[in-house]
Amino acid sequence: MRLPPDPALLYPDVLARGSLAAALREAADGCLAALPDDALRPAGPLHAAVAAAVPHRAPLTVSAWAQVRRWSVAGEEPRQGMCLVDGWTHDLAEVARAARAWRDGVPLEEVRRAAPFVHLTGRFEVPDNDPVRLAASEWQGLRRKADEMEYEWREPYRTLVEAAHAEPALRALYPFTSHWVLRFSATTRPRLTLVGPCLTANSDGTYAVGTSMVASDLGLFATAGEAVACAVRHLPAGLGPVTPGE
């Protein structure tokens, strides 16, 4: 197994300043220099967290890579811990600009405008934690991820996600995936309440509907639309709007 390089070889400038947090304060013409200590915290010599000034954003985490000189960022919403932005760059100044925008609470699109390396996951912010809007945000993130994925089975998977989203009964639920199996919940994270069957897009272009992640006991179909229709038939009666998963 290949061992990572000595961090002192990849990040001598950062270690000379004592921490990544200290290096970030000096980057991008000091755009983070005025932040209080509790807003820009070190998490070890090569990791840092930048607190947002708005309550609906968790601190932006910044990490140095172990194998090459590179920086990663990730910004989540605090209720569910779901990622809103991520990305990597070789330029620490870009990281500082992204962190400043995240800190200031500007819209996510403006965070990316300030630092173009930032990738938007597709989820949108829901400051009041409304569960119906959290479900809509998760659907948007799921569709973005399906559209961006590069696996050879991208098309059947994307077709399945789009077909499920087009069905009002499923769109009203909270979607999530496990091992690329599409599932549904009557509550948001952090405590999911599973409802209905599992949907799978197979590599041969067929679509499975089952009572578990590895089953097709409810049917194997040639089209995503048929699979979605089967899933709707097996939804329990009396489902209401999505509620918070406390």
Side-chain angles (χ1 to χ4, degrees), residues 10-230:
L10 294 178
Y11 305 103
D13 51 335
V14 174
L15 296 179
R17 289 170 174 80
S19 70
L20 176 55
L24 278 170
R25 285 188 181 276
E26 298 179 19
D29 298 322
C31 71
L32 298 175
L35 292 189
D37 289 343
D38 61 352
L40 176 51
R41 296 179 286 105
L46 294 175
H47 303 272
V50 182
V54 292
H56 55 275
R57 289 182 182 175
L60 185 78
T61 60
V62 183
S63 301
W65 287 37
Q67 295 289 350
V68 295
R69 183 181 170 94
R70 187 179 293 173
W71 316 98
S72 291
V73 302
E76 299 176 348
E77 51 85 23
R79 177 178 173 79
Q80 303 182 106
M82 302 305 291
C83 193
L84 300 169
V85 302
D86 55 22
W88 64 265
T89 178
H90 297 288
D91 187 350
L92 192 59
E94 273 201 306
V95 173
R97 286 190 286 269
R100 180 80 247 186
W102 180 263
R103 163 74 180 178
D104 290 345
V106 302
L108 298 178
E109 292 78 7
E110 292 188 26
V111 176
R112 182 170 61 179
R113 194 171 299 121
F117 80 92
V118 169
H119 167 253
L120 306 184
T121 65
R123 297 183 182 93
F124 56 83
E125 294 183 285
V126 185
D128 62 357
N129 290 319
D130 174 70
V132 172
R133 283 180 52 77
L134 286 174
S137 173
E138 202 60 26
W139 270 113
Q140 183 168 294
L142 188 66
R143 296 172 73 199
R144 171 77 63 85
K145 186 173 183 178
D147 195 51
E148 293 178 344
M149 63 188 294
E150 297 181 353
Y151 297 112
E152 60 183 18
W153 39 270
R154 168 183 175 272
E155 281 307 315
Y157 178 76
R158 187 177 69 85
T159 300
L160 177 64
V161 169
E162 290 297 330
H165 179 261
E167 170 52 57
L170 297 181
R171 188 170 64 245
L173 298 172
Y174 186 96
F176 68 101
T177 59
S178 179
H179 296 84
W180 303 107
V181 176
L182 180 58
R183 309 186 73 182
F184 307 96
S185 173
T187 57
T188 64
R189 289 179 173 90
R191 189 180 296 277
L192 298 174
T193 304
L194 307 186
V195 293
C198 303
L199 289 165
T200 305
N202 298 318
S203 58
D204 63 359
T206 61
Y207 300 88
V209 185
T211 54
S212 71
M213 286 175 38
V214 296
S216 58
D217 53 318
L218 298 180
L220 191 63
F221 301 93
T223 69
E226 292 173 300
V228 165
C230 175

